[in-house]
């Protein structure tokens, strides 16, 4: 397997309101006959703010204990603001995965978790949710330090959602039940819903804590035990959260957390013969590998939440100011590192020019800088690899003759910051309109009518999400039914209520996360049939 092919992962998003203040002092440099706006680097040139949190947990959690990697190896976790190492974390491989799976297997087959009453499991999940609220600021600071997302986003949007998700799944724990089925003969027929067993879970780097909740919450509510592999870029917050689960009373071996790389720890988990189910969030390419490994091992079921190239459609009747702001949020939120980002902005030809000018102006107002600084809307990309990938796509857009309206280069001289970038005159066959860039690059395309935009929006290998902005209810209904995507937001975007199912059509994944549908991922269905002698009724 090529190095890093199973590297961990990609994408997600939550909504958060953003303040916008003017940051920019602009100059121009000619590149290939175009003007590139140079954003002020003052915010990045300042000394980085010291995060108000200590890094306390860097070992694996296996069978209720924090332990070093079996090999003794560690790997660095970085601060994307500077590229500097902030911690060395235990580097797991196949031996660590074997130990974690053995602990999870024993906890499932012999331990108390699946044998607890659902109410007892619910109480532990509720205690954990309360501890998340108590430690909100520390978790938010650690999430921002390791991932680069704005602290205000972490503390005011994502951490409250984390707590809400576990309250939601705690509510489900004692409400999972089967059916009694009437048959055609004298038999009593029960349909039981049972926990699936040991769940292997691989989470991404763009929303580490939220993805932790999407995976761990339903698995525990259903009575399963877990081996969770963190993304190598962002291992720190899952370990902190796992410690809080211990405080909440989760028995040893029920939740095991291993940090490591995809080709070693990830591959070992996906192909493990004693893992009963795999859940993966990340790139479509890696999702294919995970699915293949699961099939070639013990044919374990797999749920996949993968990439996207979501259309955001602005109709001719739209309030342009509101549409510009929502389209901006749909793309640039979380540094553009969202699998469901509205990365193909389709605008009706009658309002196209006005939209371009206002979208460009909004991008220039976007506040980029140290994510711990109040009012900052955009922090750095996650790492050097992702930074270089985004820069290559920007160059591709320029070379394919899309019009670079603003941005197009790095921001500052330290860390992995990229200027908010807007392209107009984008065509469907350009790479920036086809590939998942996963960065702050808005591609704006022109369309003439609804039938045309439906066809163009659906001509993609992805089908994760879509946005529609219109005042016409008939247009909204037509588009929302016609677009082949797992979520369609109408006059809103990135609304992630705990009960709303999330997942994709086509190559955007298999199965759904969140809501009642996520429980199906972690349950087996068993029919039990017994004879009835002289029944009073059937």
């Amino acid at each position: 397997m090529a190095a890093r092919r199973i590297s961990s992962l990609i994408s997600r998003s939550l909504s958060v309101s953003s303040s916008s203040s003017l940051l920019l002092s602009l100059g121009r440099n000619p590149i290939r006959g175009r003007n590139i706006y140079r954003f002020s680097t003052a915010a990045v040139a300042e000394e980085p703010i010291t995060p108000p949190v200590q890094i306390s947990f860097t070992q694996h959690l296996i069978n209720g204990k924090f332990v070093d990697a079996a090999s003794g190896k560690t790997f660095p976790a970085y601060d994307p603001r500077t590229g500097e190492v902030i911690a060395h974390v235990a580097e797991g491989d196949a031996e660590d995965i074997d130990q974690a799976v053995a602990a999870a297997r024993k906890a499932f087959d012999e331990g108390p978790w699946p044998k607890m009453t659902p109410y007892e499991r619910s109480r532990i999940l509720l205690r954990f949710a309360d501890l998340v609220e108590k430690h909100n600021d520390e978790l938010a600071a650690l999430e921002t330090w390791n991932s680069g997302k704005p602290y205000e986003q972490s503390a005011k949007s994502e951490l409250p959602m984390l707590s809400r998700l576990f309250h939601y799944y705690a509510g489900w724990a004692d409400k999972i039940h089967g059916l009694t089925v009437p048959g055609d003969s004298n038999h009593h027929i029960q349909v039981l819903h049972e926990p699936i067993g040991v769940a292997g879970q691989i989470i991404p780097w763009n929303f580490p804590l939220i993805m932790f909740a999407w995976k761990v919450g339903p698995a525990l509510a259903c009575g399963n035990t877990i081996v969770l592999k963190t993304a190598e870029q962002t291992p720190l917050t899952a370990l902190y959260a796992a410690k809080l689960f211990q405080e909440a009373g989760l028995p040893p071996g029920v939740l095991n957390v291993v940090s490591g790389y995809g080709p070693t720890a990830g591959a070992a988990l996906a192909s493990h013969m004693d893992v009963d189910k795999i859940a993966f969030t990340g790139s479509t390419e890696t999702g294919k590998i995970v699915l293949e490994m699961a099939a070639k091992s013990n044919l374990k079921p797999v749920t996949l939440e993968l990439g996207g190239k979501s259309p955001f459609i602005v109709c001719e009747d739209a309030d342009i100011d509101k549409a510009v702001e929502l389209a901006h949020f749909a793309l640039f939120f979380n540094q553009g590192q969202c699998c469901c980002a509205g990365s193909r902005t389709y605008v009706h030809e009658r309002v196209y020019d006005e939209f371009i000018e206002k979208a460009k102006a909004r991008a220039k107002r976007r506040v980029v800088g140290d994510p711990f600084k109040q009012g900052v809307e955009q922090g750095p990309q996650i790492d050097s690899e992702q930074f270089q990938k985004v820069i290559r796509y920007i160059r591709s857009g320029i070379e394919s003759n899309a019009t670079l309206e603003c941005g197009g280069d790095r921001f500052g001289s330290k860390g992995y910051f990229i200027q908010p970038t807007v392209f107009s005159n984008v065509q469907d066959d350009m790479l920036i309109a086809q590939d998942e860039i996963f960065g702050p690059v808005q591609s704006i395309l022109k369309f003439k009518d609804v039938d045309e935009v439906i066809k163009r929006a659906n001509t993609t290998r992805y089908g994760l999400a879509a946005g529609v902005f219109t005042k016409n209810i008939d247009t909204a209904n037509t588009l929302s039914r016609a677009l082949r995507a797992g979520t369609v937001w109408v006059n809103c975007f990135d609304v992630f209520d705990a009960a709303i199912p999330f997942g994709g059509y086509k190559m955007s994944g298999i199965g759904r996360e969140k809501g009642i549908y996520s429980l199906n991922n972690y349950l087996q269905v068993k029919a039990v049939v017994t004879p009835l002698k002289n029944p009073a009724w059937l």
Side-chain angles (χ1 to χ4, degrees):
M1 186 185 304
R4 299 296 185 103
R5 285 186 70 198
I6 292 194
S7 85
S8 301
L9 329 163
I10 287 182
S11 35
R12 249 81 307 288
S13 52
L14 298 228
S15 57
V16 60
S17 59
S18 303
S19 61
S20 55
S21 59
L22 202 55
L23 173 79
L24 314 154
S25 61
L26 300 175
R28 295 186 177 184
N29 287 331
I31 291 185
R32 299 178 64 87
R34 293 174 177 80
N35 292 325
I36 291 189
Y37 291 90
R38 295 286 180 181
F39 291 65
S40 166
T41 61
V44 182
E46 297 173 359
E47 191 67 24
I49 294 172
T50 301
V53 65
Q54 297 293 319
I55 298 174
S56 303
F57 306 105
T58 59
Q59 298 170 292
H60 304 318
L61 178 66
I62 298 176
N63 202 27
K65 297 179 180 179
F66 282 98
V67 296
D68 291 332
S71 66
K73 293 190 296 184
T74 62
F75 67 93
Y78 295 97
D79 180 347
R81 300 176 303 166
T82 62
E84 297 172 355
V85 176
I86 58 175
H88 287 89
V89 181
E91 181 182 334
D93 55 26
E95 186 174 353
D96 302 277
I97 293 294
D98 284 343
Q99 293 174 5
V101 171
R105 173 55 59 195
K106 184 176 181 180
F108 184 79
D109 292 344
E110 304 174 19
W113 189 248
K115 298 178 182 179
M116 278 185 183
T117 67
Y119 176 61
E120 289 176 304
R121 291 201 298 268
S122 174
R123 292 183 66 189
I124 290 175
L125 292 173
L126 288 171
R127 285 199 292 270
F128 172 75
D130 291 343
L131 285 168
V132 167
E133 293 179 352
K134 180 180 177 180
H135 294 272
N136 183 95
D137 293 350
E138 300 102 296
L139 279 164
L142 200 57
E143 188 86 329
T144 289
W145 195 5
N146 199 186
S147 72
K149 65 183 61 193
Y151 176 76
E152 292 180 7
Q153 173 186 323
S154 296
K156 297 179 182 179
S157 177
E158 295 186 24
L159 262 298
M161 177 56 74
L162 177 69
S163 176
R164 175 68 182 95
L165 284 160
F166 278 100
H167 278 104
Y168 176 82
Y169 284 113
W172 267 117
D174 60 357
K175 299 172 186 65
I176 297 168
H177 54 78
L179 299 169
T180 331
V181 180
D184 292 334
S185 60
N186 291 359
H187 290 86
H188 177 66
I189 306 168
Q190 303 175 71
V191 178
L192 305 180
H193 293 169
E194 300 181 345
I196 201 165
V198 175
Q201 302 180 330
I202 304 174
I203 60 172
W205 49 258
N206 57 333
F207 292 96
L209 280 173
I210 295 301
M211 295 301 101
F212 177 93
W214 285 18
K215 298 287 188 294
V216 172
L220 292 184
C222 292
N224 300 279
T225 58
I226 297 168
V227 177
L228 180 138
K229 192 198 86 69
T230 59
E232 62 264 30
Q233 297 90 341
T234 54
L236 300 177
T237 47
L239 293 169
Y240 193 114
K243 176 62 176 177
L244 296 183
F245 254 123
Q246 287 187 315
E247 291 184 31
L250 193 70
V254 176
L255 173 62
N256 305 274
V257 180
V258 176
S259 304
Y261 293 101
T264 49
L269 187 58
S271 59
H272 205 287
M273 293 296 293
D274 212 17
V275 170
D276 299 306
K277 186 263 183 311
I278 283 287
F280 170 83
T281 295
S283 70
T284 296
E285 179 187 14
T286 306
K288 290 179 180 180
I289 299 169
V290 169
L291 189 60
E292 182 181 11
M293 288 184 164
K296 287 183 175 180
S297 53
N298 59 347
L299 204 63
K300 61 180 72 67
V302 177
T303 51
L304 301 171
E305 202 269 279
L306 306 176
K309 192 67 178 175
S310 302
F312 185 96
I313 299 171
V314 179
C315 299
E316 61 180 310
D317 65 341
D319 180 316
I320 295 303
D321 291 334
K322 291 180 179 178
V324 164
E325 186 62 33
L326 191 59
H328 179 88
F329 169 72
L331 185 283
F332 288 101
F333 176 67
N334 204 54
Q335 294 71 250
Q337 297 171 154
C338 302
C339 61
C340 59
S343 52
R344 290 183 293 153
T345 307
Y346 286 97
V347 181
H348 194 277
E349 61 182 4
R350 293 181 184 173
V351 294
Y352 185 82
D353 291 341
E354 180 185 1
F355 186 95
I356 293 294
E357 290 305 310
K358 291 183 175 180
K360 176 170 62 175
R362 177 61 181 93
K364 291 179 185 178
R365 293 196 305 272
R366 188 165 184 82
V367 183
V368 185
D370 189 328
F372 283 102
K373 188 173 182 179
Q374 187 174 5
V376 165
E377 297 175 282
Q378 181 177 316
Q381 308 309 120
I382 186 66
D383 60 15
S384 176
E385 182 179 352
Q386 190 64 22
F387 174 89
Q388 294 296 338
K389 173 188 171 185
V390 175
I391 293 297
R392 285 195 299 271
Y393 274 114
I394 290 172
R395 290 172 181 163
S396 169
I398 294 170
E399 290 167 0
S400 60
N401 292 317
T403 302
L404 181 63
E405 298 287 348
C406 67
D409 206 344
R410 75 174 302 141
F411 181 92
S413 58
K414 181 186 287 188
Y416 309 123
F417 297 84
I418 293 179
Q419 296 172 357
T421 298
V422 175
F423 281 104
S424 64
N425 297 315
V426 177
Q427 305 303 312
D428 292 309
D429 60 353
M430 295 178 181
L431 283 181
I432 59 172
Q434 294 183 346
D435 290 2
E436 186 179 37
I437 298 174
F438 229 61
V441 181
Q442 185 177 33
S443 298
I444 306 178
L445 306 91
K446 185 187 296 184
F447 76 94
K448 293 182 179 180
D449 57 52
V450 169
D451 289 340
E452 174 204 330
V453 79
I454 289 171
K455 183 177 180 180
R456 291 170 64 191
N458 285 335
T459 305
T460 173
R461 60 188 180 275
Y462 298 115
L464 191 55
V468 175
F469 205 91
T470 180
K471 297 176 183 176
N472 188 310
I473 188 64
D474 294 327
T475 302
N477 284 334
T478 296
L479 286 168
S480 60
R481 295 297 180 97
L483 294 171
R484 293 186 52 76
T487 301
V488 179
W489 288 292
V490 179
N491 296 334
C492 60
F493 207 87
D494 281 351
V495 178
F496 281 92
D497 188 276
I500 300 174
F502 184 80
Y505 286 29
K506 298 185 279 188
M507 292 178 70
S508 286
I510 300 170
R512 293 295 181 269
E513 311 247 33
K514 298 195 293 107
I516 188 173
Y517 294 93
S518 64
L519 302 175
N520 297 333
N521 301 333
Y522 298 98
L523 292 170
Q524 288 281 24
V525 177
K526 176 187 287 183
V528 180
V529 183
T530 56
L532 290 172
K533 293 184 178 180
N534 301 315
W537 50 269
L538 288 176

